[in-house]
Amino acid sequence: MAGYKKEKREKVLSKKSRPSKKPKTPNLCNCLSYVKSFFRFIYDFIVSFIFYFIYKNTPSKILPPVEDLLVLDSCTTLVNKIKNKEVTCRHVVECFIKRIEQVNPILNAVVDTRFDKALAEADEYDKLIELADTEDKINLIFDGKPLFGIPFTSKESTGAKGMAFTFGLVSRIGMKSNEDAEVVKSLKTAGAILLGVTNVPEINLWCETRNKVYGQTNNPYNTNHTAGGSSGGEASIVSACGSPLGLGTDIGGSARIPAFNCGLFGHKLTTGFINTKGMTFRKGTEKQTMVSAGPITKYAEDLTPIIKAFLGPEKSLELKIDQEVDLSSLKYYYVDKPNDARVSPISDELQIVLDHVIESIASITELPPLKVKFSGTCYSYSLWRHSMTKEESDFCATLGNNQTRVSVWTEVPKTIVGCSNHTLAAVLKLIDLQLPQVNAVWADAEIEKLSNEVSTLLGDDSVLFFPSSPTTAKHHYEPFLHPYNFAYWAIFNVLKLPVTQVPLGLGLNGLPLGIQVVAGMNQDRLCVAVAKHLELKFGGWKPPFTTKVP
């Protein structure tokens, strides 16, 4: 199979090198496409100009520099320091608590904390290390706990025992979770210590983090811009060094969007490997779902141990997470235009950084990355919207806290007069549910076709580079005028493939750039390996504050 794919690829490359045929006469479809592109450009330009004008006299709030350089360390480095008795677990936890207290008034990312309990747990871990008087005993303590003593935060919509559990719903104010979600349990079992929970959009279904319980979360690079959503609180606090590890969930880009906006690594695991119990109202018994989970971190080296913590020993073996990857032997492909008419085209800045990625990969592999096109990506939003109809949750009931169904006919008038308890994003979702659905037979056929095309191309030895976003992080509220752009991320939830969002430095406006690295089903380790290479080449996460540390 590998030989066949290589031969096929060489034929494609050979064809590309042949003299081009006589250009075809432009037809009506091409003309219409140019017209659409022109009006799309004008629309995007006008929207960007309006929001630039709105915010131009509003200075961004500046994050203070870190006081203890320990918060700049990776999870891997912190574990080694704890193991070698260079620092105590208590000191590590104290450093991140202090950092949260420094930056959270600016970011509004962390919405509920358990600092006293976290310090008590850290003390218990320190006692274990103190009593271990031999190297063998130390190793035994750390065996099976790749995150021993590492603080972490989690989304408020993912259950954490004793923590706020409102999902951003006014009707759930004051509610606490009675137990840990399975994904939270997995990190605690791996030795991680929960510091608190972070802000989310109402019911998680929006690409900005804002609700009527806690308010709006800000981007650490520029507080006039969105942190993304739905794991926006996670990404914001991790990038600001208030937490070394964020627990993200992802049903339409919810972990990768904020990771991109906040200059971080965000990984969506192959769908189906995570128990969803405790994620909002989910029971973990869903027959099928697009939702998955994954880490949000500053450093690529942390992805593997955290993924192992999520999966446990058996599933880690199944996905061969620890298996070495020879990057030079992989095949590489890329897409620069999804061609979905509803989404904005990729900006020149992100196109240039994609080109640099291709150049970097071309230097380590025999065959250069090949540009590909999938017809199905032009329906990205429609296919995701159709797939959402197969989720077992009922949005109208969920919005009513499963006590009542919220009606669009009563909620729209309330929104108009400013007395709705729900955000505009939630109300727009109610309106969207009233619009005609796409033909289910057509959509299922398109999903199957696209899935087969991508799976056949990638197999178990290839990766695909795909734009993370058409632009850098938008101003607050601006995504309402670009409501379909999240389809850049959401299409891979439809396909249920593993994806890593990789930061690639900062743009001219000081906001993060990035790229998505996609692999075949169950090939998460390929995404991570390529992410590590790109981190070395492009520098990875850049602090959103001044620091003397390079």
Side-chain angles (χ1 to χ4, degrees), residues 152-173:
F152 78 102
T153 47
S154 179
K155 296 170 71 167
E156 196 258 22
S157 58
T158 299
K161 188 174 181 179
M163 293 282 93
F165 197 43
T166 72
F167 323 151
L169 287 173
V170 171
S171 60
R172 290 179 64 87
I173 289 178

PDB file of all heavy atoms in Angstrom, residues 152-173:
ATOM      1  N   PHE A 152      -3.002  22.043  37.297  1.00  0.00           N
ATOM      2  CA  PHE A 152      -3.737  22.185  36.039  1.00  0.00           C
ATOM      3  C   PHE A 152      -5.065  22.871  36.286  1.00  0.00           C
ATOM      4  O   PHE A 152      -5.533  22.976  37.428  1.00  0.00           O
ATOM      5  CB  PHE A 152      -3.935  20.824  35.356  1.00  0.00           C
ATOM      6  CG  PHE A 152      -5.040  19.961  35.935  1.00  0.00           C
ATOM      7  CD1 PHE A 152      -6.279  19.858  35.312  1.00  0.00           C
ATOM      8  CD2 PHE A 152      -4.832  19.215  37.097  1.00  0.00           C
ATOM      9  CE1 PHE A 152      -7.292  19.051  35.826  1.00  0.00           C
ATOM     10  CE2 PHE A 152      -5.824  18.393  37.621  1.00  0.00           C
ATOM     11  CZ  PHE A 152      -7.066  18.317  36.985  1.00  0.00           C
ATOM     12  N   THR A 153      -5.642  23.371  35.226  1.00  0.00           N
ATOM     13  CA  THR A 153      -6.978  23.950  35.264  1.00  0.00           C
ATOM     14  C   THR A 153      -7.857  23.201  34.275  1.00  0.00           C
ATOM     15  O   THR A 153      -7.367  22.519  33.372  1.00  0.00           O
ATOM     16  CB  THR A 153      -6.949  25.448  34.907  1.00  0.00           C
ATOM     17  OG1 THR A 153      -6.147  25.637  33.734  1.00  0.00           O
ATOM     18  CG2 THR A 153      -6.384  26.279  36.052  1.00  0.00           C
ATOM     19  N   SER A 154      -9.172  23.352  34.448  1.00  0.00           N
ATOM     20  CA  SER A 154     -10.115  22.665  33.570  1.00  0.00           C
ATOM     21  C   SER A 154     -11.302  23.569  33.299  1.00  0.00           C
ATOM     22  O   SER A 154     -11.565  24.517  34.051  1.00  0.00           O
ATOM     23  CB  SER A 154     -10.591  21.364  34.226  1.00  0.00           C
ATOM     24  OG  SER A 154     -11.522  20.683  33.398  1.00  0.00           O
ATOM     25  N   LYS A 155     -12.023  23.303  32.239  1.00  0.00           N
ATOM     26  CA  LYS A 155     -13.195  24.102  31.882  1.00  0.00           C
ATOM     27  C   LYS A 155     -14.282  23.980  32.945  1.00  0.00           C
ATOM     28  O   LYS A 155     -14.513  22.897  33.489  1.00  0.00           O
ATOM     29  CB  LYS A 155     -13.750  23.632  30.527  1.00  0.00           C
ATOM     30  CG  LYS A 155     -12.799  23.839  29.380  1.00  0.00           C
ATOM     31  CD  LYS A 155     -13.268  23.144  28.105  1.00  0.00           C
ATOM     32  CE  LYS A 155     -14.468  23.805  27.493  1.00  0.00           C
ATOM     33  NZ  LYS A 155     -14.726  23.318  26.120  1.00  0.00           N
ATOM     34  N   GLU A 156     -14.972  25.079  33.192  1.00  0.00           N
ATOM     35  CA  GLU A 156     -16.037  25.071  34.186  1.00  0.00           C
ATOM     36  C   GLU A 156     -17.170  24.133  33.795  1.00  0.00           C
ATOM     37  O   GLU A 156     -17.904  23.639  34.650  1.00  0.00           O
ATOM     38  CB  GLU A 156     -16.549  26.508  34.361  1.00  0.00           C
ATOM     39  CG  GLU A 156     -17.384  26.740  35.606  1.00  0.00           C
ATOM     40  CD  GLU A 156     -18.876  26.786  35.349  1.00  0.00           C
ATOM     41  OE1 GLU A 156     -19.337  26.239  34.315  1.00  0.00           O
ATOM     42  OE2 GLU A 156     -19.585  27.367  36.173  1.00  0.00           O
ATOM     43  N   SER A 157     -17.304  23.853  32.506  1.00  0.00           N
ATOM     44  CA  SER A 157     -18.357  22.967  32.016  1.00  0.00           C
ATOM     45  C   SER A 157     -17.979  21.496  32.101  1.00  0.00           C
ATOM     46  O   SER A 157     -18.787  20.625  31.762  1.00  0.00           O
ATOM     47  CB  SER A 157     -18.684  23.315  30.555  1.00  0.00           C
ATOM     48  OG  SER A 157     -17.516  23.210  29.751  1.00  0.00           O
ATOM     49  N   THR A 158     -16.762  21.212  32.526  1.00  0.00           N
ATOM     50  CA  THR A 158     -16.314  19.831  32.738  1.00  0.00           C
ATOM     51  C   THR A 158     -16.265  19.598  34.239  1.00  0.00           C
ATOM     52  O   THR A 158     -15.534  20.297  34.956  1.00  0.00           O
ATOM     53  CB  THR A 158     -14.925  19.599  32.110  1.00  0.00           C
ATOM     54  OG1 THR A 158     -15.006  19.835  30.702  1.00  0.00           O
ATOM     55  CG2 THR A 158     -14.449  18.174  32.342  1.00  0.00           C
ATOM     56  N   GLY A 159     -17.045  18.657  34.720  1.00  0.00           N
ATOM     57  CA  GLY A 159     -17.223  18.473  36.150  1.00  0.00           C
ATOM     58  C   GLY A 159     -15.933  18.304  36.929  1.00  0.00           C
ATOM     59  O   GLY A 159     -15.077  17.498  36.575  1.00  0.00           O
ATOM     60  N   ALA A 160     -15.795  19.051  38.026  1.00  0.00           N
ATOM     61  CA  ALA A 160     -14.690  18.902  38.967  1.00  0.00           C
ATOM     62  C   ALA A 160     -15.311  18.988  40.362  1.00  0.00           C
ATOM     63  O   ALA A 160     -15.961  19.990  40.692  1.00  0.00           O
ATOM     64  CB  ALA A 160     -13.635  19.984  38.759  1.00  0.00           C
ATOM     65  N   LYS A 161     -15.129  17.990  41.151  1.00  0.00           N
ATOM     66  CA  LYS A 161     -15.821  17.879  42.442  1.00  0.00           C
ATOM     67  C   LYS A 161     -15.649  19.137  43.289  1.00  0.00           C
ATOM     68  O   LYS A 161     -14.544  19.592  43.543  1.00  0.00           O
ATOM     69  CB  LYS A 161     -15.297  16.666  43.210  1.00  0.00           C
ATOM     70  CG  LYS A 161     -16.090  16.363  44.469  1.00  0.00           C
ATOM     71  CD  LYS A 161     -15.632  15.076  45.124  1.00  0.00           C
ATOM     72  CE  LYS A 161     -16.464  14.771  46.365  1.00  0.00           C
ATOM     73  NZ  LYS A 161     -16.038  13.499  47.006  1.00  0.00           N
ATOM     74  N   GLY A 162     -16.792  19.702  43.699  1.00  0.00           N
ATOM     75  CA  GLY A 162     -16.799  20.881  44.543  1.00  0.00           C
ATOM     76  C   GLY A 162     -16.636  22.195  43.807  1.00  0.00           C
ATOM     77  O   GLY A 162     -16.716  23.267  44.415  1.00  0.00           O
ATOM     78  N   MET A 163     -16.429  22.137  42.506  1.00  0.00           N
ATOM     79  CA  MET A 163     -16.208  23.343  41.712  1.00  0.00           C
ATOM     80  C   MET A 163     -17.499  23.795  41.013  1.00  0.00           C
ATOM     81  O   MET A 163     -18.400  23.002  40.770  1.00  0.00           O
ATOM     82  CB  MET A 163     -15.131  23.090  40.659  1.00  0.00           C
ATOM     83  CG  MET A 163     -13.729  22.851  41.208  1.00  0.00           C
ATOM     84  SD  MET A 163     -12.894  24.385  41.714  1.00  0.00           S
ATOM     85  CE  MET A 163     -13.347  24.438  43.445  1.00  0.00           C
ATOM     86  N   ALA A 164     -17.530  25.094  40.673  1.00  0.00           N
ATOM     87  CA  ALA A 164     -18.670  25.649  39.939  1.00  0.00           C
ATOM     88  C   ALA A 164     -18.934  24.820  38.687  1.00  0.00           C
ATOM     89  O   ALA A 164     -18.008  24.357  38.021  1.00  0.00           O
ATOM     90  CB  ALA A 164     -18.395  27.105  39.570  1.00  0.00           C
ATOM     91  N   PHE A 165     -20.220  24.658  38.364  1.00  0.00           N
ATOM     92  CA  PHE A 165     -20.620  23.766  37.268  1.00  0.00           C
ATOM     93  C   PHE A 165     -21.868  24.347  36.609  1.00  0.00           C
ATOM     94  O   PHE A 165     -22.911  23.717  36.564  1.00  0.00           O
ATOM     95  CB  PHE A 165     -20.883  22.378  37.845  1.00  0.00           C
ATOM     96  CG  PHE A 165     -20.902  21.253  36.843  1.00  0.00           C
ATOM     97  CD1 PHE A 165     -19.971  21.160  35.829  1.00  0.00           C
ATOM     98  CD2 PHE A 165     -21.849  20.232  36.960  1.00  0.00           C
ATOM     99  CE1 PHE A 165     -19.988  20.103  34.931  1.00  0.00           C
ATOM    100  CE2 PHE A 165     -21.863  19.168  36.074  1.00  0.00           C
ATOM    101  CZ  PHE A 165     -20.935  19.100  35.058  1.00  0.00           C
ATOM    102  N   THR A 166     -21.725  25.577  36.077  1.00  0.00           N
ATOM    103  CA  THR A 166     -22.901  26.275  35.552  1.00  0.00           C
ATOM    104  C   THR A 166     -23.034  26.213  34.044  1.00  0.00           C
ATOM    105  O   THR A 166     -24.120  26.482  33.519  1.00  0.00           O
ATOM    106  CB  THR A 166     -22.867  27.771  35.938  1.00  0.00           C
ATOM    107  OG1 THR A 166     -21.853  28.443  35.174  1.00  0.00           O
ATOM    108  CG2 THR A 166     -22.604  27.964  37.423  1.00  0.00           C
ATOM    109  N   PHE A 167     -21.952  25.914  33.327  1.00  0.00           N
ATOM    110  CA  PHE A 167     -21.902  25.956  31.856  1.00  0.00           C
ATOM    111  C   PHE A 167     -22.188  27.362  31.330  1.00  0.00           C
ATOM    112  O   PHE A 167     -22.517  27.540  30.160  1.00  0.00           O
ATOM    113  CB  PHE A 167     -22.893  24.997  31.187  1.00  0.00           C
ATOM    114  CG  PHE A 167     -23.114  23.683  31.851  1.00  0.00           C
ATOM    115  CD1 PHE A 167     -24.331  23.030  31.723  1.00  0.00           C
ATOM    116  CD2 PHE A 167     -22.127  23.077  32.612  1.00  0.00           C
ATOM    117  CE1 PHE A 167     -24.556  21.810  32.322  1.00  0.00           C
ATOM    118  CE2 PHE A 167     -22.346  21.851  33.221  1.00  0.00           C
ATOM    119  CZ  PHE A 167     -23.565  21.214  33.082  1.00  0.00           C
ATOM    120  N   GLY A 168     -22.106  28.376  32.189  1.00  0.00           N
ATOM    121  CA  GLY A 168     -22.414  29.740  31.782  1.00  0.00           C
ATOM    122  C   GLY A 168     -23.899  30.049  31.762  1.00  0.00           C
ATOM    123  O   GLY A 168     -24.306  31.080  31.229  1.00  0.00           O
ATOM    124  N   LEU A 169     -24.717  29.192  32.375  1.00  0.00           N
ATOM    125  CA  LEU A 169     -26.166  29.389  32.424  1.00  0.00           C
ATOM    126  C   LEU A 169     -26.557  30.133  33.696  1.00  0.00           C
ATOM    127  O   LEU A 169     -26.197  29.722  34.802  1.00  0.00           O
ATOM    128  CB  LEU A 169     -26.895  28.049  32.395  1.00  0.00           C
ATOM    129  CG  LEU A 169     -26.928  27.272  31.079  1.00  0.00           C
ATOM    130  CD1 LEU A 169     -27.533  25.902  31.295  1.00  0.00           C
ATOM    131  CD2 LEU A 169     -27.716  28.034  30.021  1.00  0.00           C
ATOM    132  N   VAL A 170     -27.328  31.204  33.549  1.00  0.00           N
ATOM    133  CA  VAL A 170     -27.813  31.952  34.703  1.00  0.00           C
ATOM    134  C   VAL A 170     -28.643  31.057  35.613  1.00  0.00           C
ATOM    135  O   VAL A 170     -28.577  31.164  36.847  1.00  0.00           O
ATOM    136  CB  VAL A 170     -28.633  33.177  34.234  1.00  0.00           C
ATOM    137  CG1 VAL A 170     -29.337  33.843  35.399  1.00  0.00           C
ATOM    138  CG2 VAL A 170     -27.735  34.172  33.514  1.00  0.00           C
ATOM    139  N   SER A 171     -29.394  30.139  35.016  1.00  0.00           N
ATOM    140  CA  SER A 171     -30.266  29.251  35.800  1.00  0.00           C
ATOM    141  C   SER A 171     -29.482  28.265  36.665  1.00  0.00           C
ATOM    142  O   SER A 171     -30.049  27.626  37.550  1.00  0.00           O
ATOM    143  CB  SER A 171     -31.200  28.476  34.869  1.00  0.00           C
ATOM    144  OG  SER A 171     -30.462  27.678  33.953  1.00  0.00           O
ATOM    145  N   ARG A 172     -28.163  28.139  36.427  1.00  0.00           N
ATOM    146  CA  ARG A 172     -27.362  27.207  37.209  1.00  0.00           C
ATOM    147  C   ARG A 172     -26.395  27.919  38.168  1.00  0.00           C
ATOM    148  O   ARG A 172     -25.515  27.280  38.756  1.00  0.00           O
ATOM    149  CB  ARG A 172     -26.548  26.291  36.276  1.00  0.00           C
ATOM    150  CG  ARG A 172     -27.391  25.283  35.513  1.00  0.00           C
ATOM    151  CD  ARG A 172     -26.531  24.420  34.591  1.00  0.00           C
ATOM    152  NE  ARG A 172     -25.576  23.595  35.312  1.00  0.00           N
ATOM    153  CZ  ARG A 172     -25.824  22.383  35.794  1.00  0.00           C
ATOM    154  NH1 ARG A 172     -27.025  21.844  35.638  1.00  0.00           N
ATOM    155  NH2 ARG A 172     -24.882  21.684  36.408  1.00  0.00           N
ATOM    156  N   ILE A 173     -26.558  29.215  38.333  1.00  0.00           N
ATOM    157  CA  ILE A 173     -25.675  29.952  39.247  1.00  0.00           C
ATOM    158  C   ILE A 173     -25.700  29.311  40.632  1.00  0.00           C
ATOM    159  O   ILE A 173     -26.759  29.009  41.184  1.00  0.00           O
ATOM    160  CB  ILE A 173     -26.099  31.439  39.334  1.00  0.00           C
ATOM    161  CG1 ILE A 173     -25.764  32.172  38.031  1.00  0.00           C
ATOM    162  CG2 ILE A 173     -25.404  32.135  40.510  1.00  0.00           C
ATOM    163  CD1 ILE A 173     -26.196  33.619  38.001  1.00  0.00           C
TER     164      ILE A 173
END
